Amino acid sequence: MRTGLVGRAVRDVRTGRFERSLSALTAAGALITSAEIYFEHDKASFGNRLMWLPVLLGPVGAAAGIAGFASERMAHTVLPVTSAAIVANGLQGTYLHARGIAQKPGGWRNARYNLEMGPPLLAPLLVTMVGGMGLLASVLRRER
């Protein structure tokens, strides 16, 4: 039998307690990443209208995470739809950031400089992870 932190995590997944925790973590992660994205995109003066999308999806993801924590029905209906939208937006952001790096002087040939000074290439994948947590929470079973 497993003991310690790993054993407790396995037991929580088996009993359904992890579904509620992951829903709550999705809510918190969505708010935190949305705030960070707002500050970073504000520095870029929201030069592209699509920069608003992850900022607006954050509170929606937080509401879905809270609803998923409170209600099993919401965890299996609203949370996966919202989380899928967040994942799609994170993947879109990764593409747009890669394109932004390519548009800098020297493009990818000057990658060392452009990766540091251009849009953060891997940051949108953090948003994708928040959406992934919501998707995982939506497929786990709920404790009775």
Side-chain angles (χ1 to χ4, degrees):
M1 178 154 203
R2 295 182 182 132
T3 59
L5 194 57
V6 172
R8 183 174 182 178
V10 170
R11 191 170 44 256
D12 285 350
V13 170
R14 283 185 181 153
T15 61
R17 291 184 65 196
F18 193 60
E19 186 256 359
R20 293 185 73 205
S21 300
L22 203 52
S23 293
L25 284 171
T26 299
L31 284 179
I32 292 167
T33 56
S34 179
E36 179 64 24
I37 292 166
Y38 174 81
F39 294 130
E40 291 300 317
H41 286 180
D42 189 47
K43 280 197 285 189
S45 301
F46 288 95
N48 183 335
R49 279 187 275 155
L50 288 175
M51 290 177 154
W52 282 104
L53 194 53
V55 174
L56 298 174
L57 278 174
V60 174
I66 292 168
F69 177 81
S71 163
E72 181 178 11
R73 184 179 200 189
M74 293 292 125
H76 296 293
T77 55
V78 174
L79 185 58
V81 171
T82 304
S83 296
I86 292 170
V87 167
N89 181 247
L91 294 173
Q92 175 193 37
T94 303
Y95 166 76
L96 292 173
H97 282 208
R99 191 179 75 177
I101 291 168
Q103 292 172 345
K104 297 287 243 180
W108 285 101
R109 290 183 315 251
N110 193 16
R112 179 178 171 147
Y113 180 79
N114 287 340
L115 282 170
E116 290 178 11
M117 301 309 291
L121 180 62
L122 302 177
L125 293 176
L126 297 174
V127 176
T128 305
M129 286 189 347
V130 170
M133 289 188 325
L135 287 173
L136 180 58
S138 71
V139 298
L140 292 174
R141 66 186 175 118
R142 182 82 149 211
E143 72 180 322
R144 300 283 174 221

